[in-house]
Amino acid sequence: MLARFWKNNKGVISFIFLMLFFRTAVADWYHVPSGSMQPNILIGDRVWVNKLAYDVKIPFSSINLNRHHEPQAGDVVVFQSEKAGERLIKRVVGVSGDRVSMNKNRLMINGKQVNTELLESDLTIDQFMQDREDAVYFKEKPVKSGYDNIAQSQGYPIRVSRTMRSSLDSFDETTIPEDYLLVLGDNRDNSADSRVIGLIPRSELVGRAERVVVSFDSDNYYLPRDGRYWQRL
């Protein structure tokens, strides 16, 4: 009976197994349910996650076979947070050995203030957010050189509320211990990140979020948003 079932369905079974293998060990997509990473990642985005960016793990397990690359400040990462009890997506701000503090949404890393530039006009932000009356946008730029991704070399936009002052907009300097990360949401006044759940163990990393595959707009009958296809993060 089993032999007959396999013979009649081996193509479907093989496809399902290979798909599960791929999603478990190589890459996956992540549905974004909240606005904590706006304006760079919107509610309804489907994000491509590279699971081989930092580690090689045994499929269907968390056993690490090869730790070949370390997260860098500016990376957008997906991690399975034990403290939050769910899978989250945030931006790495501090890595092992960094000293990080924040004063009224202005970051200091290793004694140097992260460069910020006011974004008075931005086509992408104005197209999808349309909330200039409620928020102001800045571009954070790195304080180091030699970065190897676009977010680190060119900077990335962050959102700061005009109307809602958050108690999380400042924190004292903390030194990141080995194998931990400090992560923040780009929507700085509306993100439960390391300011709420603490530093992130590196072992919780699922992978690096690299592109928006497609984006569905819940305010427009869940139709795909134009201009969000395969967009680099």
Side-chain angles (χ1 to χ4, degrees):
M1 184 175 178
L2 289 176
R4 181 183 301 174
F5 180 81
W6 165 252
K7 183 177 180 180
N8 293 335
N9 298 277
K10 61 181 179 181
V12 174
I13 295 172
S14 298
F15 174 80
I16 293 173
F17 176 81
L18 290 173
M19 179 62 71
L20 290 174
F21 177 88
F22 182 83
R23 293 189 63 179
T24 300
V26 180
D28 199 357
W29 50 88
Y30 173 77
H31 165 67
V32 179
S34 75
S36 68
M37 285 295 291
Q38 290 177 332
N40 300 293
I41 301 176
L42 308 180
I43 298 173
D45 281 355
R46 300 298 198 274
V47 177
W48 179 263
V49 181
N50 180 2
K51 290 190 171 184
L52 297 178
Y54 308 119
D55 307 290
V56 177
K57 296 181 179 179
I58 294 177
F60 310 105
S61 79
S62 59
I63 300 174
N64 198 336
L65 295 175
N66 181 26
R67 177 170 164 168
H68 60 84
H69 194 68
E70 295 303 314
Q72 299 183 49
D75 285 358
V76 178
V77 296
V78 173
F79 57 98
Q80 186 66 44
S81 173
E82 180 178 351
K83 189 166 185 180
E86 60 181 327
R87 187 165 289 192
L88 300 174
I89 182 168
K90 305 293 178 186
R91 189 179 299 276
V92 176
V93 170
V95 298
S96 300
D98 282 345
R99 294 177 288 109
V100 185
S101 63
M102 178 183 281
N103 182 25
K104 296 181 179 179
N105 283 309
R106 295 298 180 95
L107 278 170
M108 293 279 293
I109 300 179
N110 298 325
K112 296 181 179 180
Q113 183 168 300
V114 174
N115 299 319
T116 57
E117 174 186 316
L118 180 65
L119 291 175
E120 295 181 351
S121 178
D122 184 279
L123 292 177
T124 300
I125 292 173
D126 295 335
Q127 176 185 357
F128 295 114
M129 298 301 298
Q130 300 177 351
D131 63 349
R132 290 285 184 173
E133 293 183 0
D134 300 322
V136 60
Y137 292 89
F138 297 92
K139 176 175 281 190
E140 282 187 349
K141 295 184 177 181
V143 295
K144 299 179 182 178
S145 59
Y147 288 128
D148 62 4
N149 69 39
I150 289 178
Q152 296 162 335
S153 62
Q154 298 183 1
Y156 46 86
I158 64 169
R159 181 186 187 275
V160 176
S161 175
R162 295 182 187 269
T163 58
M164 182 183 70
R165 287 299 303 275
S166 171
S167 60
L168 302 176
D169 67 358
S170 301
F171 58 83
D172 294 335
E173 183 176 274
T174 182
T175 300
I176 315 301
E178 186 176 359
D179 286 340
Y180 280 84
L181 305 167
L182 191 150
V183 299
L184 297 177
D186 292 341
N187 191 354
R188 290 293 159 81
D189 294 314
N190 188 22
S191 176
D193 43 43
S194 285
R195 297 170 293 180
V196 176
I197 61 176
L199 301 177
I200 307 305
R202 189 193 180 285
S203 60
E204 291 185 347
L205 286 180
V206 174
R208 182 173 62 212
E210 297 184 348
R211 292 182 181 271
V212 176
V213 179
V214 65
S215 180
F216 296 102
D217 188 355
S218 61
D219 294 326
N220 188 26
Y221 307 103
Y222 290 94
L223 293 174
R225 294 182 174 102
D226 289 336
R228 297 292 290 173
Y229 297 105
W230 207 237
Q231 180 180 342
R232 183 187 294 273
L233 295 175

